[in-house]
Amino acid sequence: MSIPHNPVLLQEVLQSFSVPLVVENGGILIDCTVGYGGHSKALLEKYPKLRIIGIDQDEGAIAYTFNHLKDFKDRFEVKLGRFSEVLPNIWRDDIVGILADIGVSSVQFDDKQRGFCFDSHLLDMRMNPHHTLSAKEIVNTYSLPQLERIFRDFGEIREWKKLAHLIVDFRKQEKIVCASALSGLIAKHFKNTKIHPATLAFQALRIEVNDELGELERMLKFLQEKSFQKGARVGIISFHSLEDRIVKTAFKGWERSCICPKEVMKCVCGNNYKKGKNLYKKPLSATKEEIKNNPRSRSAKLRVFEFGN
């Protein structure tokens, strides 16, 4: 059975967790976005002592991965739910790795029944179909200021006011019920020579629907408050600047020894808060060969933090 989703930066992920805690001692790694099991399977194959707990909120992905990795049932288990909710319930002292591949999988994006793609007859975008908020509800019920906020903050769209007004004016005459209608409306009034004109608007809607940035921030806050063994690592793959900025800021903060406010003239915190270091000075990105084989990897960035001074 082939994996329906190509895991990005696979070799970079394998190399990033090649530490004694994983290779020799066989600790536990949490794959916070296990998806269709691409990263987890490769890690389990390369490191025979490693155990993995996978988390995902997509029931379809969970079912597939549970079956796909059945040969590793003694070293692999999977949990259904948001990683910010599951992590506190499964936390253990022998966790030596955290991996999170943030974003939509190719399977979700290409499945027209999920309402992520531009030509879908649905407008949904829920990673967990059981959640109540959908993209259709947002575009048809959010107020003008609410739409402006998500297009400005989550899409970083230059003409966010124009886009929000366009949607509000259009829905007065006709409800927007499918992704193809929305993408067509946007393409009619906006031009972009590099990407589809609706790309950033769809990104903003998807982030709002799934609270993606909030999930990431909650996970990082949880990890910040935990104690890790020396050598344990956290690796996060992001796909756009909003996510990467959050990860970069968090990791930079974890490197700080002094956490006093900038306005304080003299350190009063004890100057002993450094948790470790960024493993790489700059995030790892896909090679030309990987981008050629998987164009969606072109925007992927991997940042890795290693605990221990």
Side-chain angles (χ1 to χ4, degrees):
M1 187 184 299
S2 60
I3 298 177
H5 169 68
N6 293 323
V8 299
L9 302 177
L10 182 58
Q11 296 306 314
E12 289 78 4
V13 166
L14 291 175
Q15 181 60 37
S16 295
F17 288 99
S18 60
V19 294
L21 290 174
V22 170
V23 179
E24 299 170 9
N25 302 333
I28 293 177
L29 181 142
I30 307 295
D31 188 341
C32 293
T33 49
V34 70
Y36 289 83
H39 288 117
S40 283
K41 182 180 181 182
L43 286 162
L44 289 165
E45 288 176 338
K46 185 166 184 177
Y47 305 120
K49 292 186 177 182
L50 179 66
R51 289 170 290 162
I52 292 181
I53 301 174
I55 303 171
D56 208 284
Q57 58 179 316
D58 188 320
E59 290 179 338
I62 288 284
Y64 175 92
T65 301
F66 184 78
N67 180 66
H68 187 59
L69 300 186
K70 60 186 177 183
D71 291 343
F72 303 97
K73 61 182 179 180
D74 294 336
R75 296 192 289 127
F76 177 77
E77 60 181 294
V78 65
K79 304 289 185 180
L80 176 66
R82 291 175 177 262
F83 49 72
S84 68
E85 299 169 350
V86 176
L87 267 177
N89 296 325
I90 64 172
W91 192 259
R92 303 168 48 156
D93 292 337
D94 54 351
I95 290 173
V96 298
I98 300 289
L99 174 64
D101 179 358
I102 308 298
V104 182
S105 74
S106 298
V107 178
Q108 291 172 327
F109 189 84
D110 293 336
D111 184 355
K112 293 184 180 182
Q113 299 302 316
R114 302 298 296 269
F116 285 97
C117 53
F118 302 133
D119 58 347
S120 174
H121 63 284
L122 299 174
L123 184 56
D124 196 321
M125 302 191 190
R126 290 175 293 175
M127 292 182 183
N128 184 341
H130 297 296
H131 288 167
T132 56
L133 184 63
S134 69
K136 183 173 73 172
E137 181 178 349
I138 291 173
V139 298
N140 287 291
T141 66
Y142 269 32
S143 66
L144 179 63
Q146 287 177 309
L147 288 173
E148 289 178 341
R149 173 186 61 82
I150 66 170
F151 291 139
R152 179 193 65 219
D153 296 348
F154 298 158
E156 297 183 303
I157 299 171
R158 221 175 350 178
E159 296 181 278
W160 43 274
K161 283 182 175 289
K162 176 184 173 181
L163 177 56
H165 276 276
L166 175 67
I167 290 174
V168 170
D169 290 341
F170 184 87
R171 75 189 189 192
K172 290 177 182 177
Q173 307 299 324
E174 182 181 342
K175 191 174 182 180
I176 304 172
V177 297
C178 61
S180 58
L182 179 60
S183 63
L185 176 67
I186 296 172
K188 184 178 179 181
H189 292 84
F190 294 84
K191 303 299 178 185
N192 194 314
T193 58
K194 294 183 178 180
I195 58 176
H196 191 288
T199 299
L200 296 179
F202 273 51
Q203 171 187 294
L205 290 169
R206 193 197 75 225
I207 290 173
E208 177 73 6
V209 167
N210 299 289
D211 191 20
E212 293 178 28
L213 302 185
E215 270 291 283
L216 178 58
E217 289 171 337
R218 286 188 288 272
M219 179 184 70
L220 290 167
K221 185 177 185 298
F222 175 81
L223 296 177
Q224 179 181 347
E225 296 170 351
K226 293 299 176 182
S227 297
F228 285 86
Q229 302 177 49
K230 184 176 181 179
R233 292 178 179 178
V234 173
I236 300 179
I237 300 173
S238 62
F239 287 85
H240 55 74
S241 59
L242 295 171
E243 296 168 338
D244 183 59
R245 196 177 303 143
I246 291 172
V247 178
K248 179 181 179 180
T249 300
F251 284 5
K252 187 176 181 180
W254 295 357
E255 284 187 312
R256 290 178 58 190
S257 183
C258 173
I259 59 171
C260 293
K262 293 182 179 180
E263 59 269 19
V264 174
M265 299 295 292
K266 184 179 180 180
C267 176
V268 295
C269 71
N271 196 28
N272 190 34
Y273 283 86
K274 184 176 181 178
K275 294 181 174 294
K277 63 179 181 180
N278 278 286
L279 193 62
Y280 309 118
K281 291 184 178 180
K282 294 182 178 181
L284 301 183
S285 55
T287 63
K288 291 181 180 180
E289 181 179 359
E290 179 176 2
I291 294 173
K292 182 180 179 180
N293 295 327
N294 181 15
R296 288 176 180 168
S297 68
R298 65 184 178 275
S299 57
K301 293 182 178 180
L302 170 64
R303 293 186 185 272
V304 182
F305 190 88
E306 182 178 67
F307 289 90
N309 296 329

